[in-house]
Amino acid sequence: MKPSSQPPRVGEALVSEGVITNEELETALAVQRRSGRLLGEVLVEEGVVPAGVLIRALANRLGVKGCQLRHGMIDPALLKLIGAEEAERLKVIPMFRVCDTLTLAMAEPQSLPTIDRVRSLTGCKIRPVLALESNILEFVRKYAAGDVDVNSFLASLSESNVQVIEKESIDDDTATDLDKMVEGSPIVTLINVALLTSIKAGASDIHIEPTNRGTRMRQRIDGVLRELMNPPPGMHSAIVSRVKVIGKMDIGERRLPQEGRVHIVAEGREIDLRVSSMPTLLGEKLVIRILDKDNLKVQLSDLGMRVRSLESVRRVLARPYGLLLVTGPTGSGKTTTLYSAIDLLRGPTRNIVTAEDPVEYRLDYVNQVQVQESIGLTFARVLRSLLRQDPDVMMVGEVRDQETARVAIQAALTGHVVLATLHTNDAPGAIARLVDMGIESYLISGALQGVVAQRLARMICPACATNYYPVEQVLIDAGLDPAEGRSFRKGEGCRQCHDSGFQGRLGIFEVMEVDGRMRQLIHAGEPTHALRQVLRRSGVYSLRREGVEHALEGKTSLEEVLRVTSIEDDQSCSDDQADTGGAAA
């Protein structure tokens, strides 16, 4: 943007768009020639063109995003990355950093040498954004002098400003394209950047938490929380208001938990968001669940099951009736496994109905019902109604109580295929859990066809994978002989995996197919350890042993297997083992 070549082009563009007249352009050019300043700066200072109009015109011409800088859009701490002197010389200021990408306000966003210089100083990828030189230098000097007036920023974020954001209401049947929502309030920009960044990174959740110093934002990637960004102090209430409004929640209610949802378009694809708020001592905490269909693996063969386990599940699903349970802790991928089973069964010849809380993904040829316990629409009530809908296959999001368990069992005994989830440590423990709910053993033995217990382990990042030798205690905990001295694989950590050493996740499965022998034991009320012994003798690995096999194949690390499985998952099968049925449940 040199004064000798760029101003006439800018001026001509503004004239052609009808923003200024030829006379105003000539006058501004005369001032520009005398002062040596940029034409755009002259037009703004002389009051001929509003700063926002000029930025839009320049940004369109350069093919970049443009913004007017103000408090709340800039993290003052980031100025230290390049130094105030260098920032003033380059006419740039860092706005915010998300993972390894730095959004940089630049007077000349097309200047590759400037971008390369900032990249070398910060070690970050640079996302250039156009801003006026005077605007940039104003904030560089303010923040270099420590002149960060948070109170004035909070005063500028009046209730009316927050309400302006809320005009972008999102109906259930419409979607908002986040890529187009980059101008306006800094809160809008911050939330949109957080959403887009998390979606691109494949995150499952965003946590927005109040702290003594302000706000902490983290994203859950591959089951582990990672820092996303730390907005400037004083913005938490505005951030919470923005998220609650797009989630159709009550902004004024801060004392009670709330839930909301929003349907958006980001990266050219439709994504559902589930929002949950919770009052804490320091303020409201929000969790945004990201339900991205592109991350949904709906084929059983894609889940990472071994051939034997996959064949067992397929045999169970091929039976004309019966109950298939999927067990594991929260976040272990149970819903994904259920959807994968549904995908194998769905088609024009079957009536498939589900009861879910919430409905996470919408599937063709599947009639999905959202449970709403607040109005009495419980799992059990939905199931009873579904039985009158002539179903072939029924899916229950979660068996939480005796009533739901009993209806599911009765449906399985009367000619329906029933799929459901349950919280237990392993597959044999599911029987003890149902008994604890008050379901008789003879009913369980007649209805149950199989149980899939599962965990999710992080996979080694292929970009930084290396060999290593685990310490002796890790090998012992994994049930391996330290004397073998074999090497394993792990990730050292790189930019591609955010220095975690892991990228993506794989499933660890224990599949218990209920055959004649197992059915006799269940009917007789045998304890969990007896069922586990029979299962091990049939060649089915425990969850920990299954995970160790994945580590031996170089898919994950031994430490990761030990993290996601417990010693109870690998209990011994000796005949003199004590009855651990209650503990396993």
Side-chain angles (χ1 to χ4, degrees), residues 316-427:
V316 169
L317 293 173
R319 294 173 186 174
Y321 68 91
L323 174 65
L324 173 65
L325 291 173
V326 180
T327 77
T330 300
S332 60
K334 299 187 298 296
T335 300
T336 300
T337 301
L338 284 182
Y339 281 148
S340 300
I342 288 288
D343 180 67
L344 193 66
L345 297 172
R346 63 177 172 162
T349 62
R350 281 194 174 104
N351 176 25
I352 301 177
V353 288
T354 73
E356 305 174 60
D357 185 21
V359 176
E360 296 193 2
Y361 299 99
R362 297 170 185 173
L363 302 174
D364 290 335
Y365 287 113
V366 180
N367 303 286
Q368 297 169 274
V369 179
Q370 169 76 52
V371 169
Q372 299 184 60
E373 296 194 357
S374 60
I375 62 172
L377 192 62
T378 62
F379 276 112
R381 187 168 182 177
V382 172
L383 278 178
R384 284 195 297 270
S385 297
L386 294 185
L387 286 171
R388 294 189 286 272
Q389 291 286 314
D390 185 30
D392 297 300
V393 180
M394 301 169 62
M395 187 185 96
V396 188
E398 183 180 347
V399 176
R400 298 175 179 173
D401 50 47
Q402 184 190 58
E403 187 179 11
T404 305
R406 193 167 293 280
V407 176
I409 291 283
Q410 291 295 342
L413 288 170
T414 53
H416 304 90
V417 175
V418 181
L419 314 176
T421 70
L422 195 65
H423 287 281
T424 65
N425 285 342
D426 62 359

Side-chain angles (χ1 to χ4, degrees), residues 467-530:
N467 291 327
Y468 80 113
Y469 292 90
V471 299
E472 182 175 331
Q473 188 58 50
V474 169
L475 293 168
I476 293 172
D477 290 343
L480 300 173
D481 183 3
E484 290 184 5
R486 65 167 297 166
S487 65
F488 287 81
R489 301 280 283 172
K490 72 172 183 178
E492 287 189 320
C494 64
R495 181 170 294 183
Q496 183 172 316
C497 62
H498 307 286
D499 294 319
S500 67
F502 298 97
Q503 191 172 46
R505 288 192 288 180
L506 61 86
I508 300 174
F509 299 92
E510 176 191 34
V511 179
M512 182 179 80
E513 185 178 356
V514 179
D515 56 13
R517 172 62 175 154
M518 188 68 71
R519 203 174 301 281
Q520 289 176 355
L521 294 174
I522 295 171
H523 188 277
E526 291 293 329
T528 301
H529 77 83

Side-chain angles (χ1 to χ4, degrees), residues 160-210:
S160 61
N161 283 342
V162 174
Q163 290 299 327
V164 170
I165 305 169
E166 323 320 338
K167 290 180 181 178
E168 301 152 359
S169 61
I170 301 176
D171 297 329
D172 289 343
D173 298 327
T174 62
T176 297
D177 191 337
L178 288 179
D179 293 313
K180 297 178 182 177
M181 295 163 56
V182 294
E183 294 182 339
S185 166
I187 303 300
V188 176
T189 303
L190 185 147
I191 295 300
N192 293 341
V193 168
L195 288 173
L196 284 169
T197 303
S198 299
I199 289 166
K200 289 177 182 177
S204 61
D205 302 89
I206 301 173
H207 290 240
I208 303 173
E209 305 162 331

Side-chain angles (χ1 to χ4, degrees), residues 13 119 229 248 252 315 350 436 439 480 536 557 567 575:
R119 185 188 293 120
M229 63 175 73
K248 297 186 178 66
R315 279 195 300 269
R350 281 194 174 104
D436 287 344
I439 307 300
L480 300 173
R536 299 291 172 265
S557 68
I567 192 63
D575 291 335

